[in-house]
Amino acid sequence: MTATNDVEHLSVDECWSLLRTATVGRLAVIVGDHPEIFPINYVVDHGTAVFRTGEGSKVQGALSGTSVALESDGYDPETGRVWSVVVKGRARTIAEIDDVMDTVDLPLSPWQAGDKGRFIRITPGEVTGRRFPIADPSTWQTMPEGFRRASTE
């Protein structure tokens, strides 16, 4: 971990540790010619992230052969610090019978009901994260430089 202006850049191990404490993230994929972001429930499994879903544009984008990104955040009320972790990599369907059997036992429960028979594993190429204190709201109550307020009459 390195710190710059109260921002801690997290090690890969710290990132995975934090990812294990959360169950919700956002999956960024390319669908057609544009980016899409989907909320997902995920679990960490053997240095990868696994999510369960139904068919649709999320699966189409995730399995298109382009890179995907999973981002998750959290807050530690004891320290007043937040964290954000991004996993960039490739997604693939979990199809081998042994892998499927192991995956079914993971504590993975999508919030939305419906057919969620597709298990997808994101194998990371890059894992990055940072942790930082929440800014005091009064920080944002100043006027931007060069902004002139009309006089009151």
Side-chain angles (χ1 to χ4, degrees):
M1 168 192 71
T2 59
T4 306
N5 296 331
D6 289 331
V7 175
E8 300 173 53
H9 296 275
L10 304 173
S11 71
V12 171
D13 288 340
E14 288 172 306
C15 289
W16 284 114
S17 186
L18 289 167
L19 285 170
R20 284 184 189 89
T21 68
T23 60
V24 177
R26 284 152 301 285
L27 177 70
V29 300
I30 300 297
V31 177
D33 63 351
H34 60 279
E36 294 282 348
I37 299 175
F38 300 92
I40 61 170
N41 298 91
Y42 72 91
V43 294
V44 171
D45 182 48
H46 301 292
T48 67
V50 176
F51 65 98
R52 185 176 185 164
T53 191
E55 297 301 324
S57 55
K58 181 187 331 171
V59 170
Q60 176 189 349
L63 301 179
S64 68
T66 60
S67 293
V68 301
L70 168 67
E71 191 266 345
S72 190
D73 305 300
Y75 171 67
D76 182 350
E78 291 181 23
T79 65
R81 297 176 76 79
V82 296
W83 59 266
S84 181
V85 173
V86 176
V87 176
K88 297 176 187 172
R90 298 285 180 168
R92 69 171 178 83
T93 297
I94 297 173
E96 299 80 27
I97 192 66
D98 291 339
D99 205 7
V100 169
M101 296 308 292
D102 289 342
T103 304
V104 169
D105 290 334
L106 292 173
L108 186 55
S109 302
W111 286 352
Q112 185 181 26
D115 181 15
K116 307 283 185 193
R118 196 80 178 254
F119 290 91
I120 297 180
R121 182 180 306 278
I122 301 171
T123 302
E126 180 182 15
V127 180
T128 59
R130 58 194 190 124
R131 185 172 21 226
F132 51 90
I134 293 177
D136 182 330
S138 66
T139 301
W140 307 111
Q141 294 176 353
T142 59
M143 298 305 289
E145 191 173 315
F147 182 83
R148 295 184 59 194
R149 179 175 274 173
S151 62
T152 57
E153 293 184 35

